């Protein structure tokens, strides 16, 4: 449902609004990535407890994503995305009003704060991704999803920069400013969702047609096979991301003794660079193919990840982290584009939920493992494990899905 004039693609108004919501949501996430682990450390949480709550948020998302994806295919995507924003606001309000460990654990688990999801409405992301896909042609999804991913990281960069401008100290009340900002922004995004056109998938019942039934069954089997292949290799990538991403602010603090302001500046530059990479990814995805563009950058990112724990200079490590993250996470939009293009339109929510499930379940284990290893003093091991896993992911991704580049270019519609 893209409009073309003079060979230029105009983005559908619904897609524009959802991209705006994604950007605003990402600002709060960018703040939380910088301060949450440091905040919990300040109020007495151990490294393994911090890792545990991040893991719990991931696990909850894993279990909720499949039913949300399936039911959003049946009753529409808008109600789920709206509830996600209101739930985030409620959880931020708990962070504002209390430091009670039980209440905080519940709020952080349900909100997913600090997990560096880059704009994702997890566990409601399957509904949001399917809502987007309904208004974007498959041949354009690699481009538009990459642009949406870029906006996610620009938003996170803005959030990380806000941490520095607010001059957050080590005081508990200072860290809680991130909860205030997130609460306000969640109310804004909820109001935008309310004014956005909903999209529902109502399947019309038709008289049984034996030939059509056989064809439909065969197509469903082929789609399920592709989804399961993607889910299998996503496990490798999910564990790798969980081992490094959510605990990076804590790792910087422990290894180099830097302040939250310094960490915020590093992450802000990293998120901005990732956004720029996503824009470039949109171009090469459109030109060379979604799958091929992903594989190219993942191998380079793996090499940089191996070098990070070997350096003793915070400045040098920050540069490596910037380039590695920009290459690695700049391809997330292209990955989302593939996941929503493996099935017909009425099963996109299901496909997106399986994609999310296969990523988030192993990803949720990663922070706990990283926290445990950091607690033992093994500050380098999570990086080596992650590099090996992501290299394997890149190899199998290219081997199994290269044919889909051609398929997505030839598919003329979104249904």
């Amino acid at each position: 449902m893209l409009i073309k004039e003079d060979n230029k693609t105009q983005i559908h108004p619904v897609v524009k609004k959802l991209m705006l919501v994604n950007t605003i949501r990402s600002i709060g996430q960018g703040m939380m990535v910088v301060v949450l682990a440091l905040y919990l450390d300040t109020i007495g949480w151990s490294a393994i407890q911090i890792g545990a709550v991040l893991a719990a948020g991931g696990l909850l998302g894993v279990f909720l994503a499949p039913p949300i994806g399936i039911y959003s295919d049946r009753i529409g995507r808008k109600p789920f995305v709206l509830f996600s924003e209101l739930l985030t606001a409620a959880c931020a309000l708990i962070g504002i009003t209390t430091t009670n460990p039980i209440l905080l654990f519940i709020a952080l688990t349900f909100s997913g704060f600090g997990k560096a999801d880059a704009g994702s409405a997890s566990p409601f992301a399957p509904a949001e991704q399917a809502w987007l896909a309904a208004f974007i042609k498959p041949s354009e999804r690699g481009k538009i999803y990459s642009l949406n991913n870029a906006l996610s990281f620009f938003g996170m960069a803005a959030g990380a920069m806000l941490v520095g401008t607010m001059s957050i100290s080590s005081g508990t009340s200072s860290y809680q400013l991130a909860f205030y900002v997130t609460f306000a922004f969640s109310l804004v995004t909820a109001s935008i969702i309310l004014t956005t056109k909903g999209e529902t998938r109502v399947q019309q019942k038709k008289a049984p047609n034996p030939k059509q039934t056989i064809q439909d069954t065969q197509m469903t089997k082929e789609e399920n096979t592709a989804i399961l292949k993607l889910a299998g290799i996503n496990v490798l990538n999910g564990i790798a991301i969980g081992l490094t991403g959510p605990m990076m602010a804590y790792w910087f603090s422990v290894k180099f003794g830097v302040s939250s302001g310094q960490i915020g500046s590093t992450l802000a530059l990293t998120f901005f660079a990732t956004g720029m990479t996503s824009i470039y990814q949109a171009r090469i995805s459109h030109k060379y193919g979604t799958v091929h563009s992903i594989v190219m950058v993942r191998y380079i990112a793996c090499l940089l990840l191996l070098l990070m724990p070997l350096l003793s200079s915070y400045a040098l490590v920050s540069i490596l982290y910037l380039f590695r993250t920009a290459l690695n996470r700049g391809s997330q939009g292209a990955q989302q584009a593939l996941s929503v293009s493996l099935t017909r339109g009425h099963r996109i929510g299901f496909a997106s939920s399986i994609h999310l499930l296969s990523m988030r379940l192993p990803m949720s284990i990663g922070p706990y493992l990283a926290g445990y290893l950091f607690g033992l003093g093994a500050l380098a091991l999570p990086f080596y494990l992650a590099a090996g896993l992501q290299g394997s992911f890149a190899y199998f991704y290219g081997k199994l899905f290269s044919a889909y580049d051609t398929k997505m270019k030839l598919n003329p519609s979104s249904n």
Side-chain angles (χ1 to χ4, degrees):
M1 292 189 184
L2 293 174
I3 304 169
K4 288 194 173 182
E5 295 179 357
D6 300 327
N7 296 322
K8 284 191 174 182
T9 300
Q10 291 189 348
I11 301 175
H12 193 283
V14 170
V15 176
K16 288 182 179 180
K17 282 193 172 184
L18 292 177
M19 292 171 81
L20 176 61
V21 167
N22 175 53
T23 305
I24 296 172
R25 182 194 299 133
S26 299
I27 297 174
Q29 289 186 358
M31 296 184 70
M32 287 296 183
V33 168
V34 177
V35 306
L36 184 63
L38 303 178
Y39 168 59
L40 296 177
D41 180 61
T42 299
I43 61 176
W45 290 41
S46 67
I48 195 168
Q49 287 174 322
I50 296 170
V53 74
L54 293 175
L59 286 172
L60 181 67
V62 163
F63 291 121
L64 290 179
I68 288 173
I70 292 170
Y71 281 104
S72 73
D73 282 338
R74 299 177 182 176
I75 65 175
R77 284 73 190 239
K78 180 175 178 176
F80 292 97
V81 181
L82 176 61
F83 181 77
S84 172
E85 301 308 312
L86 296 176
L87 178 63
T88 299
C91 292
L93 188 60
I94 292 175
I96 292 170
T97 56
T98 184
T99 59
N100 180 281
I102 297 176
L103 292 177
L104 266 183
F105 193 95
I106 293 172
L108 297 179
T109 298
F110 277 91
S111 65
F113 291 152
K115 293 199 288 88
D117 277 343
S120 171
S122 176
F124 300 88
E128 187 174 59
Q129 294 302 317
W131 194 359
L132 274 170
F135 294 93
I136 308 173
K137 288 170 55 179
S139 60
E140 298 289 342
R141 285 175 185 165
K143 178 180 179 181
I144 302 302
Y145 275 71
S146 292
L147 290 174
N148 192 46
N149 192 51
L151 292 174
S152 297
F153 284 103
F154 289 146
M156 292 189 72
M161 289 176 64
L162 275 174
V163 172
T165 58
M166 290 189 302
S167 299
I168 288 181
S169 65
S170 59
T172 299
S173 60
S174 297
Y175 285 125
Q176 285 182 316
L177 287 173
F179 289 101
Y180 283 94
V181 174
T182 301
F183 174 73
F185 283 173
S186 296
L187 295 181
V188 172
T189 53
S191 66
I192 295 173
I193 293 297
L194 280 172
T195 64
T196 303
K197 175 184 176 183
E199 189 278 332
T200 58
R201 294 285 184 184
V202 180
Q203 299 182 35
Q204 301 295 328
K205 293 185 178 181
K206 299 179 180 180
N209 184 324
K211 185 177 180 180
Q212 184 66 34
T213 300
I214 293 173
Q215 291 176 342
D216 183 73
T217 300
Q218 182 60 34
M219 289 183 68
T220 300
K221 287 182 179 179
E222 292 175 359
E223 290 172 352
N224 289 343
T225 299
I227 293 170
L228 289 175
K229 286 180 180 179
L230 180 62
I233 60 174
N234 273 347
V235 172
L236 302 174
N237 194 39
I239 296 175
I241 293 172
L243 281 169
T244 53
M247 296 290 284
M248 281 307 301
Y250 182 84
W251 185 77
F252 280 139
S253 178
V254 171
K255 184 174 175 65
F256 299 103
V258 291
S259 67
S260 61
Q262 289 173 293
I263 295 171
S265 298
T266 296
L267 295 184
L269 289 173
T270 300
F271 295 145
F272 181 79
T274 304
M276 295 301 296
T277 303
S278 292
I279 292 176
Y280 180 68
Q281 180 79 31
R283 295 179 181 177
I284 63 174
S285 175
H286 192 65
K287 184 175 181 179
Y288 297 105
T290 300
V291 176
H292 185 61
S293 66
I294 293 170
V295 174
M296 284 192 299
V297 299
R298 286 304 178 97
Y299 282 125
I300 301 173
C302 287
L303 293 176
L304 296 177
L305 186 59
L306 285 170
L307 295 175
M308 282 181 56
L310 299 177
L311 301 177
S312 58
S313 166
Y314 177 70
L316 291 177
V317 171
S318 296
I319 293 171
L320 281 185
Y321 176 71
L322 184 152
F323 282 106
R324 177 259 167 185
T325 303
L327 290 172
N328 197 49
R329 303 194 69 185
S331 62
Q332 284 183 176
Q335 284 181 257
Q336 292 169 351
L338 175 67
S339 70
V340 299
S341 299
L342 294 177
T343 67
R344 289 155 292 172
H346 68 278
R347 303 186 74 216
I348 286 178
F350 166 72
S352 184
S353 67
I354 297 301
H355 173 67
L356 184 69
L357 172 68
S358 61
M359 284 285 290
R360 296 292 165 81
L361 179 57
M363 193 187 300
S364 65
I365 299 171
Y368 182 82
L369 293 176
Y372 176 76
L373 292 173
F374 288 165
L376 295 177
L379 298 180
L381 185 56
F383 293 86
Y384 298 142
L385 293 174
L389 290 167
Q390 290 198 332
S392 300
F393 166 81
Y395 170 76
F396 288 113
Y397 198 84
K399 187 176 180 65
L400 295 175
F401 292 103
S402 58
Y404 279 86
D405 279 336
T406 302
K407 183 176 180 180
M408 283 188 285
K409 285 183 179 180
L410 295 176
N411 195 340
S413 70
S414 62
N415 296 313

mmCIF file of all heavy atoms in Angstrom, residues 184-198:
data_model
loop_
_atom_site.group_PDB
_atom_site.id
_atom_site.type_symbol
_atom_site.label_atom_id
_atom_site.label_comp_id
_atom_site.label_asym_id
_atom_site.label_seq_id
_atom_site.Cartn_x
_atom_site.Cartn_y
_atom_site.Cartn_z
ATOM 1 N N ALA A 184 6.026 10.159 30.420
ATOM 2 C CA ALA A 184 5.434 11.212 29.599
ATOM 3 C C ALA A 184 5.367 10.805 28.130
ATOM 4 O O ALA A 184 4.341 10.990 27.459
ATOM 5 C CB ALA A 184 6.244 12.503 29.754
ATOM 6 N N PHE A 185 6.448 10.233 27.620
ATOM 7 C CA PHE A 185 6.479 9.844 26.211
ATOM 8 C C PHE A 185 5.503 8.716 25.904
ATOM 9 O O PHE A 185 4.946 8.650 24.806
ATOM 10 C CB PHE A 185 7.899 9.421 25.813
ATOM 11 C CG PHE A 185 8.841 10.579 25.600
ATOM 12 C CD1 PHE A 185 10.181 10.362 25.378
ATOM 13 C CD2 PHE A 185 8.375 11.885 25.620
ATOM 14 C CE1 PHE A 185 11.052 11.424 25.174
ATOM 15 C CE2 PHE A 185 9.235 12.956 25.419
ATOM 16 C CZ PHE A 185 10.578 12.728 25.199
ATOM 17 N N SER A 186 5.275 7.837 26.859
ATOM 18 C CA SER A 186 4.329 6.743 26.639
ATOM 19 C C SER A 186 2.909 7.258 26.492
ATOM 20 O O SER A 186 2.115 6.722 25.705
ATOM 21 C CB SER A 186 4.401 5.737 27.798
ATOM 22 O OG SER A 186 5.663 5.122 27.847
ATOM 23 N N LEU A 187 2.584 8.302 27.233
ATOM 24 C CA LEU A 187 1.264 8.907 27.080
ATOM 25 C C LEU A 187 1.124 9.577 25.712
ATOM 26 O O LEU A 187 0.059 9.534 25.093
ATOM 27 C CB LEU A 187 1.030 9.929 28.192
ATOM 28 C CG LEU A 187 0.968 9.369 29.623
ATOM 29 C CD1 LEU A 187 0.700 10.505 30.612
ATOM 30 C CD2 LEU A 187 -0.104 8.290 29.751
ATOM 31 N N VAL A 188 2.208 10.177 25.231
ATOM 32 C CA VAL A 188 2.188 10.800 23.901
ATOM 33 C C VAL A 188 1.986 9.748 22.821
ATOM 34 O O VAL A 188 1.150 9.909 21.916
ATOM 35 C CB VAL A 188 3.495 11.581 23.651
ATOM 36 C CG1 VAL A 188 3.566 12.054 22.198
ATOM 37 C CG2 VAL A 188 3.602 12.770 24.597
ATOM 38 N N THR A 189 2.745 8.653 22.889
ATOM 39 C CA THR A 189 2.622 7.615 21.861
ATOM 40 C C THR A 189 1.252 6.949 21.895
ATOM 41 O O THR A 189 0.699 6.597 20.852
ATOM 42 C CB THR A 189 3.724 6.545 22.033
ATOM 43 O OG1 THR A 189 3.706 6.045 23.384
ATOM 44 C CG2 THR A 189 5.101 7.118 21.733
ATOM 45 N N ALA A 190 0.687 6.800 23.084
ATOM 46 C CA ALA A 190 -0.655 6.223 23.188
ATOM 47 C C ALA A 190 -1.680 7.116 22.482
ATOM 48 O O ALA A 190 -2.597 6.622 21.802
ATOM 49 C CB ALA A 190 -1.038 6.032 24.651
ATOM 50 N N SER A 191 -1.524 8.425 22.623
ATOM 51 C CA SER A 191 -2.457 9.348 21.968
ATOM 52 C C SER A 191 -2.311 9.288 20.446
ATOM 53 O O SER A 191 -3.299 9.413 19.716
ATOM 54 C CB SER A 191 -2.223 10.780 22.467
ATOM 55 O OG SER A 191 -0.955 11.264 22.059
ATOM 56 N N ILE A 192 -1.099 9.076 19.957
ATOM 57 C CA ILE A 192 -0.884 8.951 18.512
ATOM 58 C C ILE A 192 -1.538 7.669 17.993
ATOM 59 O O ILE A 192 -2.186 7.663 16.936
ATOM 60 C CB ILE A 192 0.622 8.961 18.173
ATOM 61 C CG1 ILE A 192 1.235 10.314 18.527
ATOM 62 C CG2 ILE A 192 0.842 8.661 16.682
ATOM 63 C CD1 ILE A 192 2.740 10.368 18.391
ATOM 64 N N ILE A 193 -1.370 6.575 18.735
ATOM 65 C CA ILE A 193 -1.982 5.302 18.336
ATOM 66 C C ILE A 193 -3.499 5.439 18.253
ATOM 67 O O ILE A 193 -4.143 4.902 17.340
ATOM 68 C CB ILE A 193 -1.601 4.182 19.327
ATOM 69 C CG1 ILE A 193 -0.107 3.867 19.238
ATOM 70 C CG2 ILE A 193 -2.419 2.921 19.060
ATOM 71 C CD1 ILE A 193 0.339 3.331 17.901
ATOM 72 N N LEU A 194 -4.086 6.172 19.182
ATOM 73 C CA LEU A 194 -5.541 6.355 19.182
ATOM 74 C C LEU A 194 -6.043 7.016 17.900
ATOM 75 O O LEU A 194 -7.162 6.764 17.459
ATOM 76 C CB LEU A 194 -5.954 7.194 20.395
ATOM 77 C CG LEU A 194 -6.063 6.462 21.737
ATOM 78 C CD1 LEU A 194 -6.287 7.458 22.867
ATOM 79 C CD2 LEU A 194 -7.189 5.434 21.704
ATOM 80 N N THR A 195 -5.214 7.868 17.297
ATOM 81 C CA THR A 195 -5.631 8.591 16.091
ATOM 82 C C THR A 195 -5.176 7.912 14.801
ATOM 83 O O THR A 195 -5.356 8.474 13.718
ATOM 84 C CB THR A 195 -5.065 10.025 16.113
ATOM 85 O OG1 THR A 195 -3.627 9.980 16.063
ATOM 86 C CG2 THR A 195 -5.497 10.752 17.370
ATOM 87 N N THR A 196 -4.610 6.716 14.918
ATOM 88 C CA THR A 196 -4.089 6.011 13.748
ATOM 89 C C THR A 196 -5.090 4.986 13.250
ATOM 90 O O THR A 196 -5.724 4.273 14.044
ATOM 91 C CB THR A 196 -2.758 5.299 14.088
ATOM 92 O OG1 THR A 196 -1.826 6.270 14.578
ATOM 93 C CG2 THR A 196 -2.162 4.625 12.856
ATOM 94 N N LYS A 197 -5.222 4.890 11.956
ATOM 95 C CA LYS A 197 -6.161 3.946 11.340
ATOM 96 C C LYS A 197 -5.780 2.515 11.672
ATOM 97 O O LYS A 197 -4.643 2.087 11.477
ATOM 98 C CB LYS A 197 -6.157 4.138 9.820
ATOM 99 C CG LYS A 197 -7.021 3.125 9.060
ATOM 100 C CD LYS A 197 -6.867 3.331 7.561
ATOM 101 C CE LYS A 197 -7.646 2.264 6.779
ATOM 102 N NZ LYS A 197 -7.459 2.404 5.315
ATOM 103 N N GLY A 198 -6.728 1.762 12.199
ATOM 104 C CA GLY A 198 -6.485 0.365 12.509
ATOM 105 C C GLY A 198 -6.512 -0.497 11.266
ATOM 106 O O GLY A 198 -6.989 -0.095 10.203
#
